[in-house]
């Protein structure tokens, strides 16, 4: 159930905050003896470099509006991080403004 919530949030954000005509989401899974490694990459608007360090903070938002003009609450990514850590993993984000964002996370096997 926790893994489903993580995917729902990350994929949902990829769709909601995408500014391209066509949304593209790439998903990867690798297994190691100790963990599962996941990667979710989208072709969206990206996250500004000065916001990256705080996106997992509770109630912190990038300040962007989604496709419907709504602003986030800053709960989703904080919850994702907590769920990942509760499953013995870690999460990172890499982003190129205007081009793509990749969330990579692991969970213990």
């Amino acid at each position: 159930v926790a893994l489903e919530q993580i995917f729902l949030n990350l994929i949902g954000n990829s769709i909601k905050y995408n500014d391209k005509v066509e949304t593209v989401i790439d998903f990867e899974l690798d297994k190691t003896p100790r963990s599962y490694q996941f990667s979710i990459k989208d072709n969206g608007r990206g996250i500004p470099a000065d916001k990256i360090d705080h996106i997992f903070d509770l109630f912190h938002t990038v300040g962007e509006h989604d496709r419907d003009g709504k602003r986030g609450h800053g709960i989703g990514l904080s919850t994702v991080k907590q769920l990942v850590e509760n499953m013995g993993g870690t999460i990172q984000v890499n982003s190129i403004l205007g081009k793509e964002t990749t969330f990579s996370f692991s969970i213990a096997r």
Side-chain angles (χ1 to χ4, degrees), residues 5-67:
Q5 185 61 46
I6 292 166
F7 290 134
L8 284 172
N9 188 280
L10 295 178
I11 294 169
N13 283 354
S14 291
I15 294 167
K16 285 193 305 186
Y17 295 101
N18 195 296
D19 60 350
K20 307 299 187 295
V21 174
E22 181 179 352
T23 299
V24 177
I25 302 170
D26 294 320
F27 177 83
E28 292 183 20
L29 166 64
D30 291 313
K31 292 188 278 186
T32 71
R34 293 188 172 172
S35 67
Y36 294 102
Q37 308 284 331
F38 299 93
S39 175
I40 299 173
K41 176 181 173 181
D42 66 52
N43 69 329
R45 61 179 82 158
I47 302 168
D50 64 332
K51 305 287 185 181
I52 290 281
D53 290 339
H54 301 287
I55 62 168
F56 296 111
D57 295 346
L58 185 59
F59 303 125
H60 180 83
T61 64
V62 172
E64 299 288 331
H65 292 84
D66 67 17
R67 288 180 163 229

Side-chain angles (χ1 to χ4, degrees), residues 1-7 83 87:
V1 172
L3 195 55
E4 180 180 359
Q5 185 61 46
I6 292 166
F7 290 134
L83 290 170
M87 291 188 290

Side-chain angles (χ1 to χ4, degrees), residues 67-83:
R67 288 180 163 229
D68 298 323
K70 298 177 183 173
R71 194 165 170 199
H73 297 88
I75 298 171
L77 291 177
S78 173
T79 301
V80 165
K81 182 179 180 193
Q82 188 65 47
L83 290 170

